[in-house]
Amino acid sequence: MPPEALGFVEGTLDFCAKVDPDSAAKYKERGKAFVSDATKEELEKARNMSEYKDSYASTTSELEKSPKDQTVKACKAFLEGK
């Protein structure tokens, strides 16, 4: 997975865990599934790249602009596979 995509996915899942803390464990589980084929070293390298950091930060920034109730609804829909 390219660092930009990883930053987007992890930024989204971390944000969802923050706004929907009752389901935080489920978001972490989904995050692990996304990176299950990568080694610890590959993930560490990707997470240290500027592309990852920029994508993570911009994703989080955009999500923070959304109304919380809509964000929580979208996060819950993601967990349900919708």
Side-chain angles (χ1 to χ4, degrees):
M1 178 181 299
E4 298 89 348
L6 181 62
F8 173 79
V9 169
E10 291 189 337
T12 301
L13 292 173
D14 288 349
F15 190 82
C16 284
K18 187 172 101 175
V19 298
D20 183 18
D22 292 341
S23 300
K26 292 178 183 178
Y27 296 113
K28 289 188 184 295
E29 205 173 287
R30 289 287 176 102
K32 287 180 184 178
F34 274 109
V35 297
S36 63
D37 292 339
T39 66
K40 183 178 178 180
E41 292 79 18
E42 289 171 329
L43 290 173
E44 187 175 313
K45 181 179 177 184
R47 289 175 179 139
N48 284 322
M49 296 180 79
S50 61
E51 293 89 346
Y52 170 89
K53 292 176 183 178
D54 291 345
S55 178
Y56 187 100
S58 66
T59 299
T60 302
S61 176
E62 286 302 311
L63 289 171
E64 287 174 345
K65 294 176 186 176
S66 301
K68 184 178 178 183
D69 61 328
Q70 288 181 350
T71 305
V72 171
K73 185 177 179 180
C75 289
K76 287 182 181 280
F78 168 76
L79 285 180
E80 295 171 6
K82 295 181 180 177

